[in-house]
Structures are given as structure tokens and as C-alpha cells.
Amino acid sequence: GAVVSQHPSRVICKSGTSVKIECRSLDFQATTMFWYRQFPKQSLMLMATSNEGSKATYEQGVEKDKFLINHASLTLSTLTVTSAHPEDSSFYICSAQEGEDGNQPQHFGDGTRLSIL
Amino acid sequence: GQNIDQPTEMTATEGAIVQINCTYQTSGFNGLFWYQQHAGEAPTFLSYNVLDGLEEKGRFSSFLSRSKGYSYLLLKELQMKDSASYLCAVRDSNYQLIWGAGTKLIIKP
């Protein structure tokens, strides 16, 4: 149980392109979903927390207009990297938490490796 | 500020036992998680501790002492596939997950 699907797994595109990443909880309802970015050999960096039906909460230093998050249902959240540039190249990972019980772990998608040329 | 400390890298031998320590200073405590992350992959959940003591799951065990702000992950009968980074994360009083930088574990034959 607790499977999170993230798509696409890899994107290579030109600078200026907007890229959309989907995160789905397949067998549970995710009240809260999280978006992380991870640079090589570094730890996870939380970008934003998204709750179904409300605006995402962004971490300090993360541009809201650059990284658009939509959490339209209890099983789907999307991250759109708008007008991507080479410095946006990174490993983006989503996670989903079942319910609001603090005992529940975050379950991660497989990540999206984004490369901007 | 909030802080999670764990060793950057550890090396162990196949078949042996290794203990990965994690100390934390956070605003409040609502549980501690251990995750495994293989290179180029997303983290996978290993264990959860919220009360003091040892939680055992097969070859992996996790220990927590809330008074000391300390946890460890114990891996027994090490296998080559256990080579990965191990991430310690603490949920604070706001239920935010604070992540450690991870411990890269290298297993040698």
C-alpha cells in the first residue's frame, strides 16, 4: 500500500520551456503533498507544502511564480516549473501523507530528473 | 534554530553490523523517521519512533531517546544492497519534517 506515482521520471528540454510534473497517490487519499528539490550529494530541500483545495505554502526563497503548484484533488498535485533555466536543473521529488495523523510517514514518488539545456 | 546531525559517511563490511547515529534539536517533537535513499532514487520509508525505546523491523532497528535528542538506526547482517544514504528526519511541534543531510553508507565485501 501507500504508493505514490510521479511522472515524468526524466525531462530534458530547452531553456525557456515550462515543465509540468505530476504526483499521484494511487491507493490512498493524500490530504497533504510535499514538493522537494535535491541537488547532487545534498539532502532534500522542501520547496512547498500543498493541501487539497487551498494555496500551497512555499518555503522561504522559493519563487511562487516560478514554481506553480496545484493540488486539485486528494490524489493529485502538480508542479509546473515555468520558463525553466539551466539553474533549475535538479532532482524534483514529491511525497504524500495519508490523513492528518502525525504518525503517518511521507511516501515518496520516484522523482523527476529535470535537465535544462 | 532547528538542527539534525548525522555523520556524513560511514563504511562497513558485508555481513557486519553498523549503527548510524542522529542527534536533533528541534522546536517540539512529534516523531522521528528514518528513510533509505539509493543514489538517483527517491527516499523510501524505513522506520518511525515517537516513544523512547527500540523498534525492530527485520534486519533494521531504530532507537529513540527523547530526553537526549538522540536516535540511531541499526543495520544487521549487512548486504551490498544496503549501500545507500540514510536520512534522519524529525517532525517538529508544527508537524513540519526537518531533514538531516543524510549518512552515506558504503558496504565493502
Side-chain angles (χ1 to χ4, degrees), chain B residues 95-107:
Chain B
Y95 284 88
Q96 278 214 318
L97 208 54
I98 313 300
W99 291 89
T103 298
K104 183 178 180 181
L105 178 63
I106 300 168
I107 309 296

Side-chain angles (χ1 to χ4, degrees), chain A residues 36 38 43-44 59 91 93 97 102-106 108-111 113, chain B residues 30 33 35 37 40-43 45 48 87 91 95-97 99-101:
Chain A
Y36 294 86
Q38 187 175 34
S43 188
L44 298 170
E59 295 300 304
F91 190 43
I93 315 172
Q97 184 173 305
N103 292 346
Q104 297 297 323
Q106 293 181 24
F108 287 84
D110 289 337
R113 192 160 302 281
Chain B
N30 280 300
F33 299 84
Y35 285 82
Q37 185 177 24
E41 299 180 11
F45 170 70
Y48 170 72
L87 307 174
R91 191 166 270 158
Y95 284 88
Q96 278 214 318
L97 208 54
W99 291 89

